[in-house]
Amino acid sequence: MQTVKLSNGVEMPILGLGVYQVPDAATCERVIGEALEIGYRSIDTAAAYLNEEAVGAAIAKSGIPRGDLFVTSKLWVQDMGYDAALGAFDRTMKRLGLDVLDLYLIHQPFGDVYGAWRALERLLAEGRVRAIGVCNFMPDRLMDLCVHCAVRPALNQIETHPFYARFEDNKLMAELGVAHESWAPFAEGHNDIFNNPTLSAIGAAHGKSAAQVILRWLTQRGIVVIPKSVRKERLLQNFESQDFDLTTAEMEAIAALDTGKSVLFSHRDPAIVRWISEMKLDI
């Protein structure tokens, strides 16, 4: 599996498994177990997904050496701030049953971001995490954090797919040394993405599905992907998206699908900011 080297030298698989919206413990454990059998070695979860315990149980049952796995989790908004973030991290690690986390991310750019970031810097210095980063930081917020922190984020996980390609974000992240990770690589099915004529035609030329073309388009740009599925055949198809290359013309044809805006919601929409900021979870 190809890896992406983070700014501090830590290597992260470019393809992993996301478990967003898989809150059922039994399903989550099964899916992770099947993914690990297929060959996945990176798992992305979050306190807000309410499945960290299931992720930890699946890892323990797998028998795979801890050093062969890359595990990511995230800090939710209600625990922003220095002391709150340290406490939330302890609870995350207890649920996961791990001593060291590979990547810990600030899940949303709201609340006491700077207090939380200082806590993450401490966790990094103490060796409790191998790398730290953020999610959903627009370019101005990312630059602001980078200018005012001691340790720059190793990664920014943002909505990225053919309809929202994030070219300018990607360029800035490259300049800052921040790795780019995609969430919702399939746009959560919006715009009938799996039947898009451009993606389907390119897939047919390679004997691949539209979904596999999307994943390869992202990883060929150096972007980390964490597609989710609860179906073993889809897990396998996603994993087999890395054994072919798209031509320059195909890459450009997919890029032309970009609309320059989210198909889901904007982190600059005041109503969304309020909704996310007031979302309290029992964690």
Side-chain angles (χ1 to χ4, degrees):
M1 173 63 65
Q2 178 187 345
T3 62
V4 169
K5 183 174 286 189
L6 303 181
S7 56
N8 64 352
V10 170
E11 293 196 7
M12 177 181 188
I14 200 165
L15 173 69
L17 173 70
V19 294
Y20 175 55
Q21 294 181 328
V22 191
D24 176 73
T27 301
C28 192
E29 285 188 42
R30 173 186 60 78
V31 168
I32 293 173
E34 291 173 346
L36 293 176
E37 288 178 3
I38 288 169
Y40 287 81
R41 289 297 179 266
S42 177
I43 303 169
D44 178 277
T45 185
Y49 299 171
L50 306 179
N51 56 23
E52 288 175 314
E53 288 184 347
V55 170
I59 290 172
K61 290 178 182 177
S62 74
I64 296 173
R66 176 65 183 90
D68 293 343
L69 297 175
F70 192 99
V71 183
T72 301
S73 195
K74 310 177 190 76
L75 174 72
W76 187 241
V77 182
Q78 70 195 56
D79 291 314
M80 297 295 279
Y82 185 81
D83 291 331
L86 292 175
F89 178 79
D90 286 341
R91 293 191 294 276
T92 276
M93 296 303 281
K94 182 177 181 180
R95 289 190 291 265
L96 288 170
L98 301 177
D99 296 321
V100 177
L101 191 64
D102 297 288
L103 179 62
Y104 197 42
L105 307 176
I106 288 179
H107 204 155
Q108 304 287 348
F110 309 131
D112 185 5
V113 170
Y114 294 92
W117 189 253
R118 289 194 300 273
L120 267 62
E121 289 178 330
R122 173 179 169 178
L123 295 170
L124 181 68
E126 292 177 346
R128 301 186 68 193
V129 295
R130 299 176 64 219
I132 55 177
V134 296
C135 301
N136 302 307
F137 274 55
M138 301 297 280
D140 55 334
R141 298 302 305 274
L142 182 63
M143 178 61 79
D144 185 55
L145 180 60
C146 286
V147 168
H148 294 102
C149 65
V151 178
R152 287 185 179 183
L155 177 144
N156 185 18
Q157 185 184 119
I158 57 177
E159 178 190 349
T160 314
H161 46 74
F163 304 132
Y164 196 22
R166 313 300 288 265
F167 291 117
E168 290 303 314
D169 299 69
N170 184 269
K171 180 180 178 181
L172 176 64
M173 284 189 271
E175 293 172 356
L176 294 173
V178 178
H180 183 167
E181 182 173 22
S182 158
W183 65 260
F186 301 140
E188 296 191 356
H190 283 69
N191 298 352
D192 199 20
I193 193 169
F194 298 116
N195 294 308
N196 179 272
T198 298
L199 299 172
S200 296
I202 292 172
H206 293 274
K208 295 291 184 177
S209 68
Q212 290 171 315
V213 168
I214 293 166
L215 295 178
R216 188 61 187 124
W217 176 71
L218 289 165
T219 58
Q220 211 163 307
R221 293 174 57 198
I223 297 172
V224 178
V225 293
I226 45 170
K228 182 212 83 173
S229 180
V230 297
R231 296 168 56 184
K232 188 172 184 178
E233 64 272 22
R234 297 297 187 210
L235 293 172
L236 182 58
Q237 287 179 12
N238 292 342
F239 192 75
E240 292 177 341
S241 65
Q242 303 303 295
D243 59 359
F244 72 108
D245 292 319
L246 298 169
T247 67
T248 299
E250 289 169 339
M251 293 289 289
E252 292 174 349
I254 299 170
L257 300 174
D258 182 32
T259 67
K261 60 183 180 180
S262 170
V263 300
L264 300 169
F265 54 82
S266 170
H267 281 80
R268 286 182 171 150
D269 180 341
I272 294 298
V273 175
R274 178 186 291 275
W275 171 61
I276 292 175
S277 298
E278 293 180 348
M279 189 183 300
K280 303 301 181 184
L281 306 170
D282 184 17
I283 48 175

